[in-house]
Amino acid sequence: MEQIIQADYHDTMEQSYIDYSMSVITARAVPDARDGLKPVQRRILYSMNQLGASSDKMHRKSARIVGDTMGKYHPHGDSSIYDALVVMGQDFKKANPLVDAHGNFGSIEGDPPAASRYTEARLSKFAEDAILKDLSKDTVDYIPNFEETEKEPTVLPVKIPNLLLQGVDGIAVGMTSNIPTHNLSEVLACEMAYIDSLDKNLNSSMSVQDMMEYIKGPDWPSGGTIINQKDLLAIYETGAGKIRVRGDIVYEKEKKRKDKLVITSIPPTMVGLAFPKFVSDLSNLIRDKRLPDVSDIQNLSSKEGIRIVLELRKNADIEKIKNIIYKKTKLEDVYSVNMVAISDGRPVQMALKDIFDHHIRFCIEFNTKKYHKLLEDETKHREIVEGYIAAIDVIDLIIEIVRGSKTKKDAVNALMGSPDNVTFKTKASQKKAEKLTFTETQANAILDMRLQKLIGMEIMALQTEYKTVLANIKRYEKVLSNQKAMLKVIRNDIEAIYKTYPVSRQTQIINQEAAVEVKEDIPVMPVVFAMSRLGYIKCFDDGTYEKNKETIENENKYILQATTGERILFFTDAGFLYQLKVAQLPLMKAKEKGTHVESLISFRTQNEKILYVSTSSKIKEKQLLFITAKGLGKRTNGTEFLTNNRIVSATKLQEEDSLVYIAEYQNEPYVTLLSESGRGIRFKADEIAEGKKTSLGCKCMGLEGTDHISEAILSDANGKLSLNNQEVPVTSFRLTKRGGNGTKKREEKEHGNATI
């Protein structure tokens, strides 16, 4: 019988969201504190190990690795798996890559990797030695995969504190995990010292400050310099904080050519897609005269490293240039540390000591399983070797048993002291057989033994092997029963990796104040701004303008009185407002061509058309009229456009709409609109409502089909519009109310104009 269960909607949704959040946190975004791996990374490495893509074998197609991982262990998108595989193979993100990449795996400059069908990969030797080496010794627990057809490990037997070494960048639901990469040699040296300081309860006498004698701070393969060393102690004590890191700039003096400033490294936050934007920002600073001492920029970066060259003018102020670059670009940036990892199935923020404590306890756990397995195998081996040694003394009897047995089972029983079904040559042999005490395991091994074991040298080797087996058993038992012996084993494993994979530090650490832009006092002086119909911009001092006033006014569409302390505002048909500081525009002579506006402004869309130009001092006193192609209009106060942002939206537009007319509203009585089809409408200007820059405006003219506004004018009765390449007075259209569909042009009366 069905039963209806009543549940509170709020409680049900809350619990469902919590379940979803924990699933994302634990199964996707946040690494395990024990092996420092996210589930997708663990599954990729395990899948490659099962596939046989080891460091001494040929590379395998990345698509094959992705397919195996997705089909057997990770039921998510192939792109997410491939992205994780790529990152594990990028040496500019990982100092010790876990994947040996072959092919185009992307670049530090943000170039994407080739498709998985084109690239190849295999496990790196480092991954095999530090992460996967003991996987075959039953060191970790296994669980069924998503469809219960395969087994996968819950964690990998990592011998090093991988959480610190590989770094983490994960965004979950309601939390993030950001752990910077660290130097392998420093971390392993610290862990060895940490192990030496442990007492019987596995508590260390080392403080975080003591640990920082070994671990100086994060170390990124991209290099750079950490400039807030004083904050690192608090970050490592709490597991959270902000690291300020900057790329390195080197001064290169030239004898015959221009001196150079060379950017040789970048902060980790810039690695990838942020790099091209940085180069673009640098170029914009030079173009906008923010770096007047820099004459040119070249990006000569390659596989060998970062090299961005800035050519300097004579007597350039080096420190000022560096300061502006650090302040105005991402070459100096903040890395937010949040060392969150999964511990006992839940996310925990970890300090430096917590990470080492979790790893060492995990090492003890998997080494205990490992040595139990080794002890079990060696005990079985001892049993067999003891059987071989005992068999040599009675080999003639064993041969007689084998020859007198009808089945293997009869022979096994005879070696175990029950020779009832065996035919012997003499009664004496049968009595000797009844005294045999081989175990079943020994009996089977003896029957499988090759005759070459009876050679004299083989017998001596057997004795030596037996001594080795006894020594191994004794050692394994000691490791399992003695904590100091166990810690020594863990330390020896770490030391072996420490000696095999020495790593030099790439990121320098200092204490230095963040870059502050020193603003120079620019003298405020009057200038005349001019912009031609072709878009060329010039600025003149008052004297030049007065001498060439007639020529300048004839050649230019916009002429504005301004000062070097304000900005020029450009309104475009795409609805954007762009600003340029007058102080950044050089003064020119009357005959000079000027600078094209497109070289000074990065327009957001193609073929943007400037409809209106004003200055920041005058715009606040104005009210602007906006008319769009779809017949919408509004009046907006100029104070709405007072902003320090170089690019903002000047108005809100409907999809596929654009501005066709912008003008200053100064109590002109009429607005006249003309559509592409030749219909026009004239109404009183004050019927257009005022609106914010975020509003669409009100309907000014109804349009049918694809018809749109082509011309508009704010004027008195003497205004004129262009219709079919001919000027027509606004009085050609009957005065009506705003929002109508308009009419065709009407003819003027013979004796005077039509009624207005």
Side-chain angles (χ1 to χ4, degrees), residues 177-300:
S177 181
N178 291 306
I179 304 176
T181 58
H182 289 75
N183 183 274
L184 177 68
S185 297
E186 292 179 3
V187 170
L188 297 188
C190 181
E191 186 160 38
M192 288 189 285
Y194 192 85
I195 290 172
D196 294 339
S197 70
L198 293 175
D199 60 21
K200 62 180 181 180
N201 296 319
L202 298 180
N203 294 319
S204 172
S205 59
M206 290 182 73
S207 65
V208 173
Q209 195 162 7
D210 295 333
M211 297 173 75
M212 290 185 67
E213 293 294 321
Y214 299 92
I215 300 176
K216 306 302 181 184
D219 186 28
W220 291 283
S222 58
T225 300
I226 294 170
I227 64 171
N228 60 329
Q229 184 180 25
K230 61 183 182 299
D231 298 330
L232 294 180
L233 177 61
I235 291 172
Y236 285 134
E237 286 179 337
T238 62
K242 295 184 183 298
I243 297 175
R244 187 168 286 276
V245 58
R246 59 169 56 159
D248 297 317
I249 305 178
V250 179
Y251 174 64
E252 293 184 0
K253 187 164 183 63
E254 301 283 349
K255 290 185 178 180
K256 296 183 179 180
R257 293 178 294 176
K258 293 182 178 180
D259 292 349
K260 299 172 182 175
L261 278 180
V262 182
I263 298 170
T264 58
S265 66
I266 57 176
T269 53
M270 196 190 292
V271 173
L273 295 176
F275 185 86
K277 185 180 184 306
F278 164 68
V279 177
S280 175
D281 289 344
L282 263 183
S283 302
N284 291 339
L285 286 175
I286 297 171
R287 185 199 66 190
D288 295 343
K289 310 298 182 183
R290 301 299 302 275
L291 293 172
D293 290 341
V294 178
S295 60
D296 193 18
I297 177 175
Q298 288 180 294
N299 180 15
L300 304 179

Side-chain angles (χ1 to χ4, degrees), residues 138-209:
D138 294 340
T139 51
V140 294
D141 296 329
Y142 285 76
I143 58 173
N145 69 342
F146 60 92
E147 60 182 6
E148 299 189 356
T149 58
E150 302 276 347
K151 294 284 188 180
E152 63 172 306
T154 58
V155 66
L156 294 180
V158 176
K159 296 182 177 182
I160 55 176
N162 197 50
L163 190 65
L164 284 174
L165 296 168
Q166 292 297 316
V168 176
D169 181 12
I171 301 175
V173 178
M175 69 172 58
T176 61
S177 181
N178 291 306
I179 304 176
T181 58
H182 289 75
N183 183 274
L184 177 68
S185 297
E186 292 179 3
V187 170
L188 297 188
C190 181
E191 186 160 38
M192 288 189 285
Y194 192 85
I195 290 172
D196 294 339
S197 70
L198 293 175
D199 60 21
K200 62 180 181 180
N201 296 319
L202 298 180
N203 294 319
S204 172
S205 59
M206 290 182 73
S207 65
V208 173
Q209 195 162 7

Side-chain angles (χ1 to χ4, degrees), residues 545-558:
Y545 175 69
E546 290 299 330
K547 289 179 183 178
N548 304 275
K549 185 174 181 179
E550 185 177 351
T551 302
I552 292 172
E553 290 180 351
N554 289 336
E555 291 179 349
N556 292 283
K557 182 178 180 181
Y558 298 101

Side-chain angles (χ1 to χ4, degrees), residues 569-572 576-577 609-612 619 624 641 650 662:
L569 283 61
F570 302 84
F571 292 80
T572 70
F576 290 110
L577 164 61
K609 181 181 177 182
I610 295 173
L611 297 181
Y612 177 76
I619 193 73
L624 298 187
F641 308 109
I662 304 176

Side-chain angles (χ1 to χ4, degrees), residues 61-102:
K61 279 288 184 185
S62 298
R64 171 67 189 279
I65 297 169
V66 171
D68 265 33
T69 305
M70 182 169 60
K72 292 181 178 179
Y73 311 112
H74 197 70
H76 301 287
D78 58 332
S79 60
S80 63
I81 299 173
Y82 185 50
D83 289 346
L85 174 69
V86 165
V87 170
M88 288 194 290
Q90 292 177 325
D91 58 6
F92 52 86
K93 287 187 178 178
K94 310 293 183 184
N96 301 97
L98 303 181
V99 170
D100 180 5
H102 188 242

Side-chain angles (χ1 to χ4, degrees), residues 356-373:
F356 279 97
D357 183 62
H358 273 77
H359 179 252
I360 289 170
R361 290 178 185 275
F362 172 60
C363 286
I364 292 173
E365 178 186 329
F366 82 73
N367 272 290
T368 299
K369 293 179 180 179
K370 170 185 172 180
Y371 278 92
H372 271 301
K373 174 67 175 174

Side-chain angles (χ1 to χ4, degrees), residues 304-529:
E304 282 66 45
I306 297 295
R307 184 174 175 82
I308 300 174
V309 180
L310 304 176
E311 288 190 357
L312 304 177
R313 301 186 194 277
K314 191 175 181 180
N315 300 322
D317 188 335
I318 305 300
E319 291 306 314
K320 178 182 175 182
I321 295 171
K322 287 183 179 180
N323 229 28
I324 292 174
I325 292 174
Y326 286 136
K327 184 65 180 176
K328 292 298 182 181
T329 72
K330 290 292 186 179
L331 193 62
E332 182 180 306
D333 206 359
V334 172
Y335 184 99
S336 296
V337 178
N338 192 29
M339 299 199 290
V340 174
I342 301 300
S343 173
D344 297 325
R346 63 188 185 90
V348 177
Q349 185 168 295
M350 296 186 171
L352 187 62
K353 288 190 71 171
D354 296 330
I355 293 174
F356 279 97
D357 183 62
H358 273 77
H359 179 252
I360 289 170
R361 290 178 185 275
F362 172 60
C363 286
I364 292 173
E365 178 186 329
F366 82 73
N367 272 290
T368 299
K369 293 179 180 179
K370 170 185 172 180
Y371 278 92
H372 271 301
K373 174 67 175 174
L374 290 173
L375 180 60
E376 181 183 341
D377 292 345
E378 207 70 354
T379 302
K380 290 180 181 178
H381 190 198
R382 179 185 65 182
E383 182 181 356
I384 292 171
V385 173
E386 286 176 345
Y388 285 158
I389 293 172
I392 291 171
D393 294 334
V394 290
I395 193 63
D396 293 334
L397 177 61
I398 292 173
I399 293 172
E400 189 174 344
I401 289 172
V402 171
R403 296 184 67 180
S405 300
K406 294 180 181 179
T407 64
K408 182 179 179 179
K409 185 177 180 180
D410 292 339
V412 169
N413 290 334
L415 292 174
M416 294 173 64
S418 301
D420 298 335
N421 297 326
V422 177
T423 303
F424 291 92
K425 292 181 180 180
T426 64
K427 289 286 186 181
S429 295
Q430 184 174 357
K431 287 184 179 181
K432 289 181 180 179
E434 290 174 353
K435 296 179 181 180
L436 295 176
T437 58
F438 292 106
T439 65
E440 184 175 358
T441 300
Q442 290 173 331
N444 280 300
I446 290 167
L447 293 175
D448 293 337
M449 182 176 64
R450 301 175 67 179
L451 290 176
Q452 71 178 31
K453 287 286 186 182
L454 301 178
I455 299 173
M457 291 296 292
E458 287 289 335
I459 294 173
M460 293 176 63
L462 205 59
Q463 295 288 350
T464 303
E465 182 181 355
Y466 184 58
K467 292 179 181 178
T468 302
V469 169
L470 292 178
N472 285 341
I473 290 174
K474 185 178 180 181
R475 181 162 62 90
Y476 299 158
E477 288 176 340
K478 182 180 180 181
V479 170
L480 290 170
S481 61
N482 188 299
Q483 183 174 279
K484 286 187 177 180
M486 173 64 78
L487 292 175
K488 185 177 181 181
V489 166
I490 296 170
R491 193 187 191 284
N492 289 342
D493 287 343
I494 294 170
E495 188 174 8
I497 297 171
Y498 175 79
K499 292 179 178 179
T500 307
Y501 301 96
V503 178
S504 58
R505 170 167 278 278
Q506 301 298 314
T507 303
Q508 304 308 310
I509 303 175
I510 60 174
N511 271 319
Q512 188 171 328
E513 294 298 322
V516 177
E517 184 182 15
V518 179
K519 294 186 178 180
E520 296 181 354
D521 292 331
I522 300 173
V524 177
M525 57 180 286
V527 296
V528 176
F529 168 85

